[in-house]
Amino acid sequence: MTARERLVALRRLVLTVVVLRALCVGASVALLAVALGRVFALETDALLLVASFGVLAAALMLHRGWGARSLERVALWVEERHPSLRYALVTAAEAPASPDVERQALAAPWWDTERRTLLGALLLPVLTVVIAAALTLWVSGFVRDGARPMFQPGNATSRESKQASDPLAALRIAVQPPAYAGRAAQTLDDASNVEALIGSRLLVSGSGDATLVRAALDSSTVAVRSHESRWTLGITMPTRPALLRLRSMVKGGRERLVVLVPITDAAPAVTLLAPARDTTVRAAAGSLLLHARLRDDIGLRDASFEVIISSGQEETFTFRTTVLARTTLANRRDGELSARLSLDSLALKPGDVVQMRAVARDANDVTGPGVGSSETRALRVARAGEYDSVAVDAAPPGDPDGQVLSQRMLITLTEALVSRRRSIDRPTLLTEARRIAADQARLRKRVGDVVFQRTGGQPLGEEGDVDVPQGKLTPEQLLERARAAGTDAGSPMDVEGDETPILALNKPLLEAFNSMWDAGRALEQGEPAQALPPMRRALAAIERARQAERIYLRGRPSAVIVDVAHARLAGKEKGSTAVLGPRFTADPVARKRAESFARASALLATDRDAAADSLLVMRVGALGDSPPLAAVLDSAARVTRRGSPADVALAWLRVRRALGGVVLRRDSLPAWDGAP
């Protein structure tokens, strides 16, 4: 081999050693960081962050040794360790060397010496990895055995002394669901909240003697027993939310609360897909398809169709019940049920009613079984006499005046006719204009009816009758008609000028009556443009008459106790402010919760655990009627035990908002003292 070939092989070995040393150093740093994290009881996220220092250390090692990629640098490194080469190896690395240079570069066996040096450089990193791995495994086994971390923040006592002094330090709850649920058992460590199906068996245990622990479920005492150097107690998940109280009897012992949240097994949900609606048939023959969809949160036991046939009429009825397609579903959560109902086999008679529904049952043998049913569909066989006659409610005769167009609509029709005047011939214009004139005459008659009925006379007849005024109606003619009807038209009243009551009440309608006459004459002559001004005057007069209507109540008006207009702004007192007390909510449950929250807030600054226990007690009461509030209380209790002061303050603020309280506004930010 030439000197250059030996140098290339050595460079390959150098790069391999650099990578292996970087990996060993990174692994050692990561393992030692994980071991220290387990000693100081760091969370999983913190452990991952600390272990990332190993990646950083490996990256630094690779950066330092990455210069070995250059063949010239490797040659200089060898020349530095073997001065006798006199730069012959560097010359051979740069270009093909002469025989003399090649002979001088291979004069000393430098390649064997450097290979042994590089392999020896791996010994210390590999030994470091082995020691770090052994230390990490030892620390992990030490913590896994149930020991409390030796250097947990805020705890300077040893693992053994802490467990001996507090039997509630490490709480373990094993949950065994009911057999029908088919779910696996689970174990919860240091849980303050247990959610399980009703009827689940809960085994609560901890380190220590059973004589040092007292337990109570709400107001009932629970027996505590010893088993293999641990205390244990067994309870069944109740049907309502409950609170398990555990009290340590050692000196300075504490109390722990565990909220038991029962999960109710819901009844199966059944949807009848066919038949889709109630049906009436002339004759019951053939078959009817029944199809239903079934669903349950845990598992279905069986399902079937129930059919009830009712026969008879008036006060005599008979009922028959039958079950179709009973199917075992073997704890499946979803399923479908189908069957065909033979109507011929039911021997239905006219007037019989067949009612059908799907029924499903779950496998709940604790509080059930739960039964779910679909909507009921009915199939009725019509009686023979139902099709002989048709019962139709008689409609009242139509109101002929209801077909009369309004004045605003007549104006719209006239304006449209004016805009089309140049595009139509004279006969068509006259026909449409006279049609509008006829509608205007009918509307004028209705206004005249209102006017003359107020004067005490009779309504007007049709156009052309003697009683219908031909032309405009003057005030004198209106008064004359009022006198003829026997109405006192001459007594003045407190209206404009010296007008009489008859004129005062009917003046706007009289103006509309006369303007409609002018509009009708113009339309009869085929001049719609000249009819628009009087039509608009008639509309304005009708609007004035509508706004002028007044209602006067009979009897004496009530006496005015305080003259507000006279007394307003007449006082001499400048006024003084008063301190208003807080208003309590009218809901007694909400007021009680607000008082409990105030007491818990007072404990927050001195005893976080007691404040968290108070929130758990409130959660038990809120589970029944306010699940969102219960969820907020549970989150706040967990944050209160282990969170930072800022997190605790925000969690308690969310509780206050969930309770419906008012957020306090301050001019400056308070200190982070843990209180909201």
Side-chain angles (χ1 to χ4, degrees), residues 1 9 122 158 257 266 347:
M1 296 180 63
L122 290 175
S158 65
L257 302 180

Side-chain angles (χ1 to χ4, degrees), residues 545-570:
R546 183 180 60 83
Q547 297 175 1
E549 294 289 343
R550 296 294 184 269
I551 298 176
Y552 297 93
L553 300 178
R554 301 178 61 182
R556 297 181 58 186
S558 58
V560 178
I561 301 176
V562 177
D563 190 351
V564 179
H566 179 72
R568 181 179 288 119
L569 301 178

Side-chain angles (χ1 to χ4, degrees), residues 260-506:
L260 304 183
V261 183
I263 300 177
T264 304
D265 184 6
V270 185
T271 305
L272 187 61
L273 302 179
R277 61 185 63 85
D278 296 341
T279 308
T280 301
V281 297
R282 288 179 177 269
S287 62
L288 184 65
L289 175 63
L290 306 179
H291 185 66
R293 182 182 296 123
L294 319 171
R295 186 178 64 258
D296 189 64
D297 55 347
I298 296 178
L300 296 163
R301 187 186 69 182
D302 57 61
S304 61
F305 288 107
E306 288 186 357
V307 180
I308 301 176
I309 303 100
S310 60
S311 304
Q313 58 183 349
E314 295 180 356
E315 298 181 357
T316 303
F317 285 92
T318 59
F319 298 91
R320 292 177 292 161
T321 303
T322 183
V323 177
L324 297 178
R326 184 181 293 277
T327 306
T328 301
L329 299 171
N331 254 9
R332 287 185 298 170
R333 298 184 61 181
D334 300 283
E336 292 188 356
L337 186 65
S338 297
R340 280 198 172 273
L341 176 61
S342 176
L343 299 179
D344 297 326
S345 63
L346 299 179
L348 299 176
K349 300 184 296 297
D352 290 356
V353 179
V354 181
Q355 297 179 348
M356 301 152 287
R357 68 170 183 171
V359 180
R361 297 173 179 83
D362 59 19
N364 185 355
D365 55 2
V366 178
T367 59
V371 180
S373 60
S374 67
E375 295 182 355
T376 302
R377 299 284 188 263
L379 183 143
R380 188 174 65 89
V381 182
R383 300 182 185 277
E386 291 186 14
Y387 297 96
D388 295 341
S389 61
V390 179
V392 178
D393 294 336
D399 182 11
D401 294 336
Q403 305 299 324
V404 179
L405 298 178
S406 66
Q407 183 67 21
R408 195 180 304 275
M409 181 60 70
L410 293 177
I411 294 176
T412 303
L413 294 175
T414 306
E415 290 175 347
L417 183 60
V418 171
S419 64
R420 294 187 300 116
R421 182 174 183 177
R422 296 183 180 275
S423 61
I424 60 178
D425 53 6
R426 180 65 180 175
T428 304
L429 176 65
L430 284 174
T431 301
E432 295 190 8
R434 287 171 180 174
R435 185 182 300 114
I436 299 175
D439 292 333
Q440 183 69 82
R442 284 194 291 271
L443 185 59
R444 177 172 177 264
K445 174 182 175 298
R446 295 186 62 185
V447 174
D449 289 342
V450 175
V451 173
F452 293 112
Q453 284 178 1
R454 287 184 175 182
T455 61
Q458 297 296 325
L460 297 178
E462 296 295 333
E463 288 290 340
D465 294 349
V466 179
D467 292 336
V468 179
Q470 299 297 322
K472 297 183 179 180
L473 186 65
T474 62
E476 291 77 9
Q477 293 174 343
L478 180 62
L479 292 177
E480 185 62 29
R481 294 180 67 93
R483 293 190 185 95
T487 305
D488 186 8
S491 56
M493 62 181 301
D494 189 12
V495 292
E496 297 182 8
D498 56 352
E499 292 181 348
T500 63
I502 295 299
L503 291 181
L505 291 175
N506 295 282

